[in-house]
Amino acid sequence: MPKRLSCGKENNMRILIKDVIANGDKKPVLVTRETKLYKDLEKLESPQDVVRIMTDVFDIDKAVAEQVYIIALDCKKKPLAFFFVNQGTIDNSLVDIRGIFMRLLLTNAAKFILIHNHPSGDPFPSAPDYSVTRKLKELSPIMGIEFSDHIIIASEDGIVKHHSFFQHLWKKKTDGSESE
C-alpha cells in the first residue's frame, strides 16, 4: 500500500515522483524515484497551480520534445504521486490509457490530471489531444477515478501559456448541463 502524502504545517507539498515496475513475478509494483519539497502550495486548486509546479519542478516548458505526465490526487486535491508517462517527438506523443489507469489504481487515486507540453509554443490542442481527452473522460467514471483536467503547457520567448480542457470545455452551461 503506498504511503499517503503528508504536508507540513508551512503549506509545503512533498512531490513524490513515482514509477511502476514489474517485480520478479511480472506484477506491477509502485516505487518512489525521487522526493522533492515544493514550498507555499499544499494542494492543486487551479490549472495555474499545476502549471507552476510543472514548470518550476519538472521544467516542462523547456522540453524540446513532448512530455506526458499524470498527477494522482486524493479526494482533497492533494498530490499522491507525479508520474512521467512518456516522451514523444517534437509534435506528438503516445499516451497509454491502460498504463495511466494502472498507475492511478496503484496509488489509490480519487482524481487525476493529465499534463503535457507543446514544444511549438502553441498550447492549442491538436486532434490527438482531443481524442485522448475524450477517451479518458469516458473511461474515468467506469474506473471510479475523476478526470479533473488535461492541461497543455507551452512556452514561447520565455512566456509560459497553457490550455486547460476543464476551463475551456467542461464548465457547466447555464442550463446545468455539462459542455463537451
Side-chain angles (χ1 to χ4, degrees), residues 15-179:
I15 296 176
L16 301 172
I17 303 167
K18 299 217 175 229
D19 202 357
V20 176
I21 61 171
N23 67 10
D25 297 329
K26 301 290 185 200
K27 293 185 180 175
V29 177
L30 194 64
V31 296
T32 300
R33 292 279 184 215
E34 190 175 351
T35 302
K36 297 181 179 186
L37 190 65
Y38 193 77
K39 298 195 180 280
D40 302 324
L41 196 60
E42 189 175 343
K43 54 185 165 179
L44 301 175
E45 299 279 10
S46 69
Q48 291 78 11
D49 290 344
V50 174
V51 171
R52 190 171 132 200
I53 284 184
M54 295 307 295
T55 57
D56 290 353
V57 177
F58 296 94
D59 291 325
I60 195 169
D61 57 318
K62 295 175 180 77
V64 296
E66 283 201 12
Q67 295 181 344
V68 181
Y69 290 85
I70 56 169
I71 304 173
L73 304 167
D74 70 10
C75 58
K76 294 181 180 178
K77 298 183 183 176
K78 291 183 181 180
L80 299 168
F82 290 71
F83 291 97
F84 173 76
V85 177
N86 191 26
Q87 179 161 323
T89 65
I90 194 163
D91 63 353
N92 72 21
S93 188
L94 295 174
V95 176
D96 176 16
I97 304 289
R98 181 181 177 275
I100 286 174
F101 283 109
M102 178 181 60
R103 288 169 174 89
L104 295 169
L105 290 168
L106 285 170
T107 58
N108 199 27
K111 306 172 185 225
F112 73 100
I113 300 169
L114 176 71
I115 306 102
H116 81 280
N117 67 316
H118 279 180
S120 67
D122 181 4
F124 190 77
S126 65
D129 293 338
Y130 282 106
S131 176
V132 165
T133 303
R134 273 190 214 97
K135 286 178 188 172
L136 287 170
K137 192 171 182 207
E138 289 170 8
L139 292 172
S140 293
I142 296 167
M143 298 302 294
I145 305 170
E146 180 184 311
F147 183 23
S148 296
D149 206 346
H150 178 179
I151 300 171
I152 301 170
I153 300 172
S155 177
E156 189 169 45
D157 299 325
I159 299 170
V160 177
K161 302 174 275 187
H162 73 277
H163 176 90
S164 161
F165 277 80
F166 178 80
Q167 285 182 329
H168 290 94
L169 295 176
W170 298 343
K171 286 191 172 179
K172 298 282 183 180
K173 293 180 182 178
T174 53
D175 64 3
S177 65
E178 195 172 293
S179 61

